[in-house]
Coordinates of all heavy atoms in Angstrom, one line a residue:
M1 N 102.6 50.4 123.3 CA 101.8 50.6 122.2 C 102.3 49.8 121.0 O 103.5 49.9 120.7 CB 101.7 52.1 121.8 CG 100.7 52.4 120.8 SD 100.6 54.1 120.5 CE 99.0 54.5 121.0
E2 N 101.5 49.0 120.4 CA 101.9 48.2 119.3 C 102.0 48.9 118.0 O 101.4 50.0 117.8 CB 100.9 47.0 119.1 CG 100.9 46.1 120.3 CD 100.0 44.9 120.0 OE1 99.6 44.6 118.9 OE2 99.6 44.3 121.0
L3 N 102.8 48.4 117.1 CA 103.1 49.1 115.8 C 101.8 49.2 115.0 O 101.5 50.2 114.4 CB 104.1 48.3 115.0 CG 104.6 48.9 113.7 CD1 105.2 50.3 113.9 CD2 105.5 48.0 113.0
D4 N 100.9 48.2 115.0 CA 99.7 48.2 114.3 C 98.8 49.3 114.8 O 98.1 50.0 114.0 CB 98.9 46.9 114.3 CG 99.7 45.8 113.6 OD1 100.5 46.1 112.7 OD2 99.4 44.6 113.8
T5 N 98.7 49.4 116.1 CA 97.9 50.5 116.7 C 98.4 51.9 116.4 O 97.6 52.8 116.1 CB 97.8 50.3 118.2 OG1 97.5 49.0 118.5 CG2 96.8 51.2 118.9
L6 N 99.7 52.0 116.4 CA 100.3 53.3 116.1 C 100.1 53.7 114.6 O 99.7 54.8 114.3 CB 101.8 53.3 116.4 CG 102.6 54.6 116.2 CD1 102.1 55.6 117.2 CD2 104.1 54.3 116.4
I7 N 100.2 52.7 113.7 CA 100.0 53.0 112.3 C 98.5 53.4 112.1 O 98.2 54.3 111.4 CB 100.4 51.8 111.5 CG1 101.9 51.7 111.5 CG2 99.9 51.9 110.0 CD1 102.5 50.5 110.8
S8 N 97.6 52.6 112.8 CA 96.2 52.9 112.7 C 95.8 54.3 113.2 O 95.1 55.0 112.6 CB 95.4 51.9 113.4 OG 94.0 52.1 113.4
L9 N 96.4 54.7 114.3 CA 96.2 56.0 114.9 C 96.7 57.1 114.0 O 96.0 58.1 113.7 CB 96.9 56.1 116.3 CG 96.7 57.4 117.0 CD1 95.2 57.6 117.4 CD2 97.5 57.4 118.3
I10 N 97.9 56.9 113.4 CA 98.5 57.9 112.5 C 97.6 58.0 111.2 O 97.4 59.1 110.7 CB 99.9 57.5 112.1 CG1 100.8 57.8 113.4 CG2 100.5 58.4 111.0 CD1 102.2 57.3 113.2
A11 N 97.1 56.9 110.7 CA 96.2 56.9 109.6 C 94.9 57.6 109.8 O 94.5 58.4 109.0 CB 95.9 55.4 109.1
W12 N 94.3 57.4 111.0 CA 93.1 58.1 111.4 C 93.4 59.6 111.5 O 92.6 60.5 111.0 CB 92.5 57.6 112.7 CG 91.7 56.4 112.4 CD1 92.1 55.1 112.7 CD2 90.4 56.3 111.9 NE1 91.1 54.2 112.4 CE2 90.0 55.0 111.9 CE3 89.5 57.3 111.4 CZ2 88.8 54.5 111.4 CZ3 88.3 56.8 110.9 CH2 87.9 55.5 110.9
I13 N 94.5 60.0 112.1 CA 94.8 61.4 112.2 C 95.1 62.0 110.8 O 94.6 63.1 110.5 CB 96.1 61.6 113.2 CG1 95.7 61.3 114.6 CG2 96.6 63.0 113.1 CD1 96.9 61.2 115.5
G14 N 95.8 61.3 110.0 CA 96.1 61.8 108.6 C 94.8 61.9 107.8 O 94.6 62.9 107.1
A15 N 93.9 61.0 108.0 CA 92.6 61.0 107.3 C 91.8 62.2 107.8 O 91.1 62.9 107.0 CB 91.8 59.7 107.5
A16 N 91.8 62.5 109.1 CA 91.0 63.6 109.6 C 91.6 64.9 109.1 O 90.8 65.8 108.7 CB 91.1 63.6 111.2
I17 N 92.9 65.0 109.1 CA 93.6 66.3 108.6 C 93.2 66.4 107.1 O 92.9 67.5 106.6 CB 95.1 66.2 108.8 CG1 95.4 66.3 110.3 CG2 95.8 67.3 108.1 CD1 96.8 66.2 110.7
A18 N 93.3 65.3 106.3 CA 93.0 65.4 104.9 C 91.5 65.8 104.7 O 91.3 66.7 103.8 CB 93.3 64.1 104.2
M19 N 90.6 65.3 105.5 CA 89.2 65.7 105.3 C 89.0 67.1 105.7 O 88.2 67.9 105.1 CB 88.3 64.8 106.2 CG 88.3 63.3 105.7 SD 87.6 63.2 104.1 CE 85.9 63.6 104.4
L20 N 89.7 67.6 106.7 CA 89.6 69.0 107.1 C 90.1 69.9 106.0 O 89.5 70.9 105.7 CB 90.4 69.2 108.4 CG 90.4 70.6 109.0 CD1 89.0 70.9 109.5 CD2 91.4 70.8 110.1
I21 N 91.3 69.5 105.4 CA 91.8 70.4 104.3 C 90.9 70.3 103.1 O 90.6 71.4 102.5 CB 93.2 69.8 104.0 CG1 94.2 70.2 105.1 CG2 93.7 70.5 102.6 CD1 95.6 69.6 104.9
L22 N 90.4 69.2 102.7 CA 89.5 69.1 101.6 C 88.2 69.8 101.9 O 87.6 70.5 101.0 CB 89.2 67.6 101.3 CG 90.3 66.8 100.6 CD1 89.9 65.4 100.5 CD2 90.7 67.4 99.3
G23 N 87.7 69.8 103.1 CA 86.5 70.5 103.5 C 86.7 72.0 103.3 O 85.9 72.8 102.8
Y24 N 87.9 72.5 103.8 CA 88.2 73.9 103.7 C 88.3 74.3 102.2 O 87.8 75.4 101.8 CB 89.5 74.2 104.4 CG 89.9 75.6 104.4 CD1 89.2 76.6 105.2 CD2 91.0 76.1 103.7 CE1 89.5 77.9 105.2 CE2 91.3 77.4 103.7 CZ 90.6 78.3 104.4 OH 90.9 79.7 104.4
I25 N 89.0 73.5 101.4 CA 89.1 73.8 100.0 C 87.7 73.9 99.3 O 87.4 74.8 98.5 CB 90.0 72.8 99.3 CG1 91.5 73.0 99.7 CG2 89.9 72.9 97.8 CD1 92.4 71.9 99.3
G26 N 86.8 72.9 99.7 CA 85.5 72.9 99.2 C 84.7 74.2 99.6 O 84.0 74.8 98.8
W27 N 84.9 74.6 100.8 CA 84.2 75.8 101.3 C 84.7 77.0 100.6 O 84.0 77.9 100.2 CB 84.5 75.9 102.8 CG 83.9 77.2 103.4 CD1 82.6 77.4 103.8 CD2 84.6 78.4 103.7 NE1 82.4 78.7 104.3 CE2 83.6 79.3 104.2 CE3 85.9 78.8 103.6 CZ2 84.0 80.6 104.6 CZ3 86.2 80.1 104.0 CH2 85.3 81.0 104.5
L28 N 86.1 77.1 100.3 CA 86.6 78.2 99.6 C 86.1 78.3 98.2 O 85.8 79.3 97.7 CB 88.2 78.1 99.6 CG 88.9 78.6 100.8 CD1 90.4 78.4 100.6 CD2 88.6 80.1 101.0
M29 N 86.0 77.1 97.5 CA 85.5 77.1 96.2 C 84.1 77.5 96.1 O 83.7 78.2 95.2 CB 85.7 75.7 95.6 CG 87.2 75.4 95.4 SD 87.6 74.0 94.3 CE 86.7 74.3 92.8
R30 N 83.3 77.1 97.1 CA 81.9 77.5 97.1 C 81.8 79.0 97.3 O 81.0 79.7 96.6 CB 81.1 76.8 98.2 CG 79.7 77.2 98.4 CD 78.9 76.8 97.1 NE 77.6 77.3 97.3 CZ 76.8 77.8 96.3 NH1 77.3 77.7 95.0 NH2 75.7 78.3 96.4
R31 N 82.6 79.6 98.2 CA 82.6 81.0 98.4 C 83.0 81.8 97.1 O 82.4 82.8 96.8 CB 83.5 81.4 99.5 CG 83.1 80.9 100.9 CD 81.9 81.7 101.4 NE 82.1 83.1 101.5 CZ 81.2 84.0 101.4 NH1 80.0 83.7 101.2 NH2 81.5 85.3 101.5
L32 N 84.0 81.3 96.4 CA 84.4 81.9 95.2 C 83.3 81.8 94.1 O 83.1 82.8 93.4 CB 85.7 81.3 94.7 CG 87.0 81.6 95.5 CD1 88.1 80.8 94.9 CD2 87.3 83.1 95.4
H33 N 82.7 80.7 94.1 CA 81.6 80.5 93.1 C 80.4 81.5 93.4 O 79.9 82.1 92.5 CB 81.1 79.1 93.2 CG 80.0 78.8 92.2 ND1 80.2 78.7 90.8 CD2 78.6 78.6 92.3 CE1 79.1 78.4 90.2 NE2 78.1 78.4 91.1
V34 N 80.1 81.7 94.6 CA 79.0 82.6 95.0 C 79.5 84.0 94.6 O 78.7 84.8 94.1 CB 78.7 82.5 96.5 CG1 77.9 83.7 97.0 CG2 78.0 81.2 96.8
K35 N 80.7 84.4 94.9 CA 81.2 85.7 94.6 C 81.2 86.0 93.0 O 80.9 87.0 92.6 CB 82.6 85.9 95.1 CG 82.7 86.1 96.6 CD 84.0 86.7 97.0 CE 84.0 86.9 98.5 NZ 83.2 88.0 99.0
V36 N 81.5 84.9 92.3 CA 81.5 85.1 90.8 C 80.0 85.2 90.4 O 79.7 86.0 89.5 CB 82.1 83.8 90.1 CG1 81.8 83.8 88.7 CG2 83.6 83.9 90.4
E37 N 79.1 84.5 90.9 CA 77.7 84.6 90.6 C 77.2 86.0 90.9 O 76.4 86.5 90.2 CB 76.9 83.5 91.3 CG 77.0 82.2 90.7 CD 76.2 81.1 91.5 OE1 75.7 81.5 92.6 OE2 76.0 80.0 91.0
D38 N 77.6 86.5 92.0 CA 77.1 87.8 92.5 C 77.9 89.0 91.9 O 77.5 90.1 91.9 CB 77.2 87.9 94.0 CG 76.2 87.0 94.7 OD1 75.3 86.5 94.1 OD2 76.4 86.8 95.9
G39 N 79.0 88.7 91.2 CA 79.9 89.7 90.7 C 79.2 90.3 89.4 O 78.2 89.9 88.9
I40 N 79.9 91.4 89.0 CA 79.4 92.1 87.8 C 80.0 91.5 86.6 O 81.2 91.1 86.6 CB 79.7 93.6 88.0 CG1 79.1 94.5 86.9 CG2 81.2 93.9 88.0 CD1 79.1 95.9 87.3
S41 N 79.3 91.5 85.5 CA 79.8 90.9 84.3 C 80.6 91.9 83.4 O 80.5 93.1 83.7 CB 78.7 90.3 83.4 OG 77.9 91.4 82.9
R42 N 81.4 91.4 82.5 CA 82.2 92.3 81.6 C 81.3 93.2 80.8 O 81.6 94.4 80.6 CB 83.0 91.4 80.7 CG 83.9 92.2 79.8 CD 85.0 92.9 80.5 NE 85.8 93.6 79.6 CZ 86.7 94.5 80.0 NH1 86.9 94.7 81.2 NH2 87.4 95.1 79.1
K43 N 80.1 92.7 80.4 CA 79.2 93.5 79.6 C 78.7 94.7 80.4 O 78.6 95.8 80.0 CB 78.1 92.6 79.1 CG 77.1 93.3 78.2 CD 76.0 92.4 77.8 CE 75.0 93.1 76.9 NZ 73.9 92.2 76.5
E44 N 78.4 94.4 81.7 CA 77.9 95.4 82.6 C 79.0 96.5 82.8 O 78.7 97.7 82.9 CB 77.4 94.8 83.9 CG 76.1 94.0 83.8 CD 75.8 93.2 85.0 OE1 76.7 92.8 85.7 OE2 74.6 93.1 85.3
V45 N 80.2 96.0 83.0 CA 81.3 97.0 83.1 C 81.5 97.9 81.9 O 81.6 99.1 82.0 CB 82.6 96.2 83.5 CG1 83.8 97.2 83.4 CG2 82.5 95.6 84.8
D46 N 81.4 97.3 80.7 CA 81.5 98.0 79.5 C 80.4 99.1 79.4 O 80.6 100.2 79.0 CB 81.5 97.1 78.3 CG 82.7 96.3 78.1 OD1 83.8 96.7 78.7 OD2 82.7 95.3 77.4
E47 N 79.2 98.7 79.8 CA 78.0 99.6 79.8 C 78.2 100.7 80.7 O 77.9 101.9 80.4 CB 76.7 98.9 80.1 CG 76.3 97.9 79.0 CD 75.1 97.1 79.3 OE1 74.5 97.3 80.5 OE2 74.7 96.3 78.5
L48 N 78.8 100.4 81.9 CA 79.1 101.5 82.9 C 80.1 102.5 82.3 O 80.0 103.7 82.5 CB 79.6 100.9 84.2 CG 78.6 100.2 85.1 CD1 79.3 99.5 86.2 CD2 77.6 101.2 85.6
F49 N 81.2 101.9 81.6 CA 82.2 102.8 81.0 C 81.6 103.7 79.9 O 81.9 104.9 79.8 CB 83.3 102.0 80.5 CG 84.3 101.5 81.5 CD1 84.9 100.3 81.4 CD2 84.6 102.3 82.6 CE1 85.9 99.9 82.3 CE2 85.5 101.9 83.6 CZ 86.2 100.7 83.4
K50 N 80.7 103.1 79.1 CA 80.1 103.8 78.0 C 79.2 104.9 78.6 O 79.2 106.1 78.1 CB 79.2 102.9 77.2 CG 80.1 102.0 76.2 CD 79.2 101.1 75.4 CE 80.1 100.2 74.6 NZ 79.3 99.2 73.9
S51 N 78.4 104.7 79.6 CA 77.6 105.7 80.2 C 78.4 106.8 80.9 O 78.1 108.0 80.8 CB 76.6 105.1 81.2 OG 77.3 104.6 82.4
R52 N 79.5 106.4 81.5 CA 80.4 107.4 82.1 C 81.1 108.3 81.0 O 81.1 109.5 81.1 CB 81.5 106.7 82.9 CG 82.5 107.7 83.6 CD 83.8 107.2 83.9 NE 84.4 106.7 82.7 CZ 85.6 106.1 82.7 NH1 86.2 105.8 83.8 NH2 86.1 105.8 81.5
D53 N 81.5 107.6 79.9 CA 82.1 108.4 78.8 C 81.1 109.3 78.1 O 81.4 110.4 77.7 CB 82.7 107.4 77.8 CG 83.9 106.7 78.3 OD1 84.5 107.1 79.3 OD2 84.3 105.7 77.7
A54 N 79.8 108.9 78.0 CA 78.8 109.7 77.4 C 78.5 110.9 78.3 O 78.4 112.0 77.8 CB 77.5 108.9 77.3
A55 N 78.5 110.8 79.6 CA 78.3 111.9 80.5 C 79.5 112.9 80.4 O 79.3 114.1 80.4 CB 78.2 111.4 81.9
I56 N 80.7 112.4 80.3 CA 81.9 113.2 80.2 C 81.8 114.0 78.8 O 82.1 115.2 78.8 CB 83.2 112.4 80.3 CG1 83.4 111.9 81.7 CG2 84.4 113.2 79.8 CD1 84.5 110.9 81.9
M57 N 81.4 113.3 77.8 CA 81.3 114.0 76.5 C 80.2 115.0 76.5 O 80.4 116.1 75.9 CB 81.1 112.9 75.4 CG 82.2 112.1 75.0 SD 83.7 113.0 74.6 CE 83.2 113.8 73.1
R58 N 79.1 114.8 77.2 CA 78.1 115.8 77.3 C 78.6 117.1 78.0 O 78.4 118.2 77.6 CB 76.9 115.3 78.0 CG 76.0 114.4 77.2 CD 74.6 114.2 77.9 NE 74.8 113.6 79.2 CZ 74.8 112.3 79.5 NH1 74.7 111.4 78.5 NH2 74.9 111.9 80.7
D59 N 79.4 116.8 79.1 CA 80.0 118.0 79.8 C 81.0 118.7 78.9 O 81.0 120.0 78.9 CB 80.6 117.5 81.1 CG 79.6 117.0 82.1 OD1 78.4 117.3 82.0 OD2 80.1 116.3 83.1
V60 N 81.8 118.0 78.2 CA 82.8 118.6 77.3 C 82.1 119.4 76.2 O 82.5 120.6 75.9 CB 83.8 117.6 76.7 CG1 84.6 118.2 75.6 CG2 84.6 117.0 77.8
T61 N 81.1 118.9 75.7 CA 80.3 119.6 74.6 C 79.7 120.8 75.2 O 79.7 121.9 74.5 CB 79.2 118.6 74.0 OG1 79.9 117.4 73.5 CG2 78.5 119.3 72.9
A62 N 79.1 120.7 76.4 CA 78.5 121.9 77.0 C 79.5 123.0 77.2 O 79.3 124.2 77.0 CB 77.8 121.5 78.3
V63 N 80.7 122.6 77.7 CA 81.8 123.6 77.9 C 82.2 124.2 76.6 O 82.4 125.4 76.5 CB 82.9 122.9 78.7 CG1 84.2 123.8 78.7 CG2 82.5 122.6 80.1
K64 N 82.3 123.4 75.6 CA 82.7 123.9 74.3 C 81.7 125.0 73.8 O 82.0 126.0 73.3 CB 82.8 122.8 73.2 CG 84.1 122.0 73.3 CD 84.0 121.0 72.1 CE 85.3 120.2 72.1 NZ 85.2 119.2 71.0
E65 N 80.4 124.6 73.9 CA 79.3 125.5 73.5 C 79.4 126.8 74.3 O 79.2 127.9 73.7 CB 78.0 124.8 73.5 CG 77.8 123.7 72.5 CD 76.5 122.9 72.7 OE1 75.8 123.2 73.6 OE2 76.3 122.0 71.9
D66 N 79.5 126.7 75.6 CA 79.6 127.9 76.4 C 80.8 128.8 76.1 O 80.7 130.0 76.0 CB 79.7 127.5 77.9 CG 78.4 126.9 78.4 OD1 77.4 127.0 77.7 OD2 78.4 126.3 79.5
T67 N 81.9 128.1 75.8 CA 83.1 128.9 75.4 C 82.9 129.5 74.1 O 83.3 130.7 73.9 CB 84.4 127.9 75.4 OG1 84.5 127.2 76.6 CG2 85.6 128.6 75.1
R68 N 82.4 128.8 73.1 CA 82.1 129.4 71.8 C 81.1 130.6 72.0 O 81.4 131.7 71.4 CB 81.5 128.4 70.9 CG 81.3 128.8 69.5 CD 80.9 127.7 68.5 NE 81.8 126.7 68.5 CZ 81.6 125.4 68.8 NH1 80.4 125.1 69.2 NH2 82.5 124.5 68.7
S69 N 80.1 130.5 72.8 CA 79.1 131.5 73.0 C 79.8 132.7 73.6 O 79.6 133.9 73.2 CB 78.0 131.0 73.9 OG 77.1 132.1 74.2
M70 N 80.7 132.5 74.6 CA 81.4 133.6 75.3 C 82.3 134.3 74.3 O 82.4 135.5 74.3 CB 82.1 133.1 76.5 CG 81.2 132.7 77.7 SD 82.0 132.3 79.2 CE 83.5 131.6 78.8
A71 N 83.0 133.5 73.5 CA 83.9 134.1 72.5 C 83.1 134.9 71.5 O 83.6 136.0 71.1 CB 84.7 133.0 71.8
E72 N 82.0 134.5 71.1 CA 81.2 135.3 70.1 C 80.7 136.6 70.8 O 80.7 137.6 70.2 CB 80.0 134.5 69.6 CG 80.3 133.3 68.7 CD 79.1 132.5 68.3 OE1 78.0 132.7 68.9 OE2 79.3 131.5 67.5
S73 N 80.3 136.5 72.1 CA 79.9 137.7 72.8 C 81.1 138.7 72.9 O 80.9 139.9 72.7 CB 79.4 137.3 74.2 OG 78.3 136.5 74.2
V74 N 82.3 138.2 73.2 CA 83.4 139.1 73.2 C 83.7 139.7 71.9 O 84.0 140.9 71.8 CB 84.7 138.3 73.8 CG1 85.9 139.1 73.6 CG2 84.5 137.9 75.2
V75 N 83.6 138.9 70.8 CA 83.9 139.5 69.5 C 82.8 140.5 69.2 O 83.2 141.6 68.6 CB 83.9 138.3 68.4 CG1 83.8 138.9 67.0 CG2 85.1 137.4 68.6
N76 N 81.6 140.3 69.5 CA 80.5 141.3 69.2 C 80.8 142.5 70.1 O 80.5 143.6 69.6 CB 79.2 140.7 69.5 CG 78.8 139.6 68.5 OD1 79.2 139.6 67.4 ND2 77.9 138.7 68.9
A77 N 81.2 142.3 71.3 CA 81.4 143.5 72.2 C 82.6 144.3 71.6 O 82.6 145.6 71.6 CB 81.7 143.1 73.6
V78 N 83.7 143.7 71.1 CA 84.8 144.4 70.6 C 84.4 145.1 69.3 O 84.8 146.3 69.1 CB 86.0 143.4 70.3 CG1 87.1 144.0 69.5 CG2 86.6 142.9 71.6
K79 N 83.6 144.5 68.5 CA 83.1 145.1 67.2 C 82.3 146.4 67.6 O 82.4 147.4 66.9 CB 82.3 144.2 66.4 CG 83.2 143.1 65.7 CD 82.3 142.2 64.8 CE 83.2 141.2 64.1 NZ 82.3 140.3 63.3
G80 N 81.4 146.2 68.6 CA 80.6 147.4 69.1 C 81.5 148.5 69.6 O 81.3 149.7 69.2
L81 N 82.5 148.2 70.3 CA 83.5 149.2 70.8 C 84.2 149.9 69.7 O 84.4 151.1 69.7 CB 84.4 148.6 71.8 CG 83.9 148.3 73.2 CD1 84.9 147.6 74.1 CD2 83.4 149.5 73.9
E82 N 84.6 149.1 68.7 CA 85.3 149.6 67.5 C 84.4 150.5 66.8 O 84.9 151.6 66.4 CB 85.8 148.4 66.7 CG 86.6 148.8 65.5 CD 87.0 147.6 64.7 OE1 86.4 146.5 64.8 OE2 88.0 147.8 63.9
T83 N 83.2 150.2 66.6 CA 82.2 151.0 65.9 C 82.0 152.3 66.7 O 82.0 153.4 66.1 CB 80.9 150.3 65.7 OG1 81.1 149.1 65.0 CG2 79.9 151.2 65.0
R84 N 81.9 152.3 68.0 CA 81.7 153.5 68.8 C 83.0 154.3 68.7 O 82.9 155.6 68.6 CB 81.5 153.1 70.2 CG 80.1 152.6 70.5 CD 79.9 152.3 72.0 NE 78.6 151.8 72.3 CZ 78.3 151.4 73.5 NH1 79.1 151.4 74.5 NH2 77.0 151.0 73.7
F85 N 84.1 153.7 68.8 CA 85.4 154.5 68.7 C 85.5 155.2 67.3 O 85.9 156.3 67.3 CB 86.6 153.5 68.9 CG 87.9 154.2 68.9 CD1 88.2 155.0 70.0 CD2 88.8 154.1 67.9 CE1 89.5 155.7 70.0 CE2 90.0 154.7 67.9 CZ 90.4 155.5 69.0
D86 N 85.2 154.5 66.3 CA 85.2 155.1 64.9 C 84.2 156.2 64.9 O 84.6 157.3 64.3 CB 84.9 154.0 63.8 CG 86.0 153.0 63.6 OD1 87.1 153.3 64.1 OD2 85.7 152.0 63.0
T87 N 83.1 156.1 65.4 CA 82.0 157.1 65.4 C 82.6 158.3 66.1 O 82.4 159.5 65.7 CB 80.7 156.6 66.0 OG1 80.3 155.5 65.2 CG2 79.6 157.7 65.9
L88 N 83.1 158.1 67.3 CA 83.7 159.2 68.1 C 84.8 159.9 67.4 O 84.9 161.1 67.4 CB 84.2 158.6 69.5 CG 84.8 159.6 70.4 CD1 83.7 160.7 70.8 CD2 85.3 158.9 71.7
M89 N 85.7 159.1 66.7 CA 86.8 159.8 66.0 C 86.3 160.6 64.9 O 86.7 161.8 64.7 CB 87.7 158.7 65.5 CG 88.5 158.0 66.5 SD 89.6 159.1 67.4 CE 90.8 159.5 66.2
F90 N 85.3 160.1 64.1 CA 84.7 160.9 63.1 C 84.0 162.2 63.6 O 84.1 163.3 63.0 CB 83.7 160.1 62.2 CG 84.3 159.1 61.3 CD1 83.9 157.8 61.3 CD2 85.4 159.5 60.5 CE1 84.4 156.9 60.5 CE2 86.0 158.5 59.7 CZ 85.5 157.2 59.6
Q91 N 83.3 162.1 64.7 CA 82.7 163.3 65.4 C 83.8 164.3 65.8 O 83.6 165.5 65.6 CB 81.9 162.9 66.6 CG 80.6 162.2 66.2 CD 79.8 161.7 67.4 OE1 80.3 161.8 68.6 NE2 78.6 161.2 67.2
L92 N 84.9 163.8 66.4 CA 85.9 164.7 66.8 C 86.6 165.4 65.6 O 86.9 166.6 65.6 CB 87.0 164.0 67.6 CG 86.6 163.6 69.0 CD1 87.7 162.7 69.7 CD2 86.3 164.8 69.9
M93 N 86.8 164.6 64.5 CA 87.4 165.2 63.3 C 86.4 166.2 62.7 O 86.9 167.3 62.2 CB 87.7 164.1 62.3 CG 88.9 163.2 62.7 SD 89.2 161.7 61.7 CE 89.2 162.4 60.0
D94 N 85.1 165.9 62.6 CA 84.2 166.9 62.1 C 84.2 168.1 63.0 O 84.1 169.3 62.5 CB 82.8 166.3 62.1 CG 82.6 165.3 60.9 OD1 83.4 165.3 60.0 OD2 81.6 164.5 61.0
Q95 N 84.2 167.9 64.3 CA 84.2 169.1 65.2 C 85.4 169.9 65.1 O 85.4 171.2 65.1 CB 84.1 168.6 66.7 CG 83.7 169.7 67.7 CD 83.5 169.1 69.1 OE1 84.1 168.1 69.4 NE2 82.7 169.7 69.8
K96 N 86.6 169.3 64.9 CA 87.8 170.0 64.7 C 87.8 170.8 63.4 O 88.3 171.9 63.3 CB 89.0 169.0 64.7 CG 90.4 169.7 64.7 CD 91.5 168.6 64.8 CE 92.8 169.3 64.9 NZ 93.9 168.4 64.9
G97 N 87.2 170.2 62.3 CA 87.1 170.8 61.0 C 86.2 172.0 61.1 O 86.4 173.0 60.4
K98 N 85.1 172.0 61.9 CA 84.2 173.1 62.1 C 84.8 174.2 62.9 O 84.5 175.4 62.7 CB 82.9 172.6 62.8 CG 82.1 171.7 61.9 CD 80.8 171.3 62.6 CE 80.0 170.3 61.8 NZ 78.8 169.8 62.5
D99 N 85.7 173.9 63.8 CA 86.3 174.9 64.7 C 87.3 175.8 63.8 O 87.5 176.9 64.2 CB 87.1 174.3 65.8 CG 86.2 173.7 66.9 OD1 85.0 174.0 66.9 OD2 86.6 172.8 67.7
K100 N 87.8 175.3 62.8 CA 88.8 176.1 62.0 C 88.1 177.1 61.2 O 87.5 177.7 60.8 CB 89.6 175.2 61.1 CG 90.7 174.5 61.9 CD 91.5 173.8 60.9 CE 92.6 173.1 61.6 NZ 93.5 172.4 60.8

């Protein structure tokens, strides 16, 4: 095999490998470009976060209102028991005073 033929063969193999690598890089870049086009934008992500945060705040507010309502109910129940206890004590004192 002559030197010119060997150099020519190596050049063709090198060119084929270079074309294969460049083609693969081009294919990867096209795939990345498609993924970026199909991807979600930063604005859409921010909107998703805002809607998620709004839902969480609604839930927290509802729990706060329920807790406040339950606390008011407990306070009212305790006041009612206190009033009943006071009434019972006055009745017992009156009854004890009448027995003497």
Side-chain angles (χ1 to χ4, degrees):
M1 187 177 246
E2 292 183 21
L3 184 61
D4 290 341
T5 309
L6 185 61
I7 291 175
S8 177
L9 183 64
I10 291 173
W12 278 103
I13 291 173
I17 291 173
M19 292 299 289
L20 183 68
I21 291 172
L22 289 174
Y24 183 71
I25 290 172
W27 178 80
L28 279 177
M29 292 197 51
R30 177 66 186 143
R31 293 290 301 150
L32 288 174
H33 182 71
V34 167
K35 287 197 180 288
V36 167
E37 284 179 347
D38 293 343
I40 189 166
S41 70
R42 179 71 181 167
K43 183 178 177 182
E44 291 170 326
V45 170
D46 288 340
E47 289 174 5
L48 287 173
F49 281 145
K50 285 178 185 177
S51 65
R52 183 201 61 184
D53 291 344
I56 290 171
M57 288 305 296
R58 281 193 305 270
D59 291 344
V60 168
T61 303
V63 168
K64 280 183 179 179
E65 290 173 1
D66 290 346
T67 304
R68 187 175 297 121
S69 175
M70 289 185 332
E72 288 174 358
S73 297
V74 169
V75 167
N76 290 336
V78 168
K79 284 182 181 179
L81 287 174
E82 185 179 17
T83 303
R84 287 181 178 174
F85 183 71
D86 289 344
T87 304
L88 180 62
M89 290 299 290
F90 286 132
Q91 286 177 355
L92 288 174
M93 288 172 50
D94 285 344
Q95 192 177 29
K96 187 175 182 183
K98 289 180 184 177
D99 288 343
K100 285 187 176 182

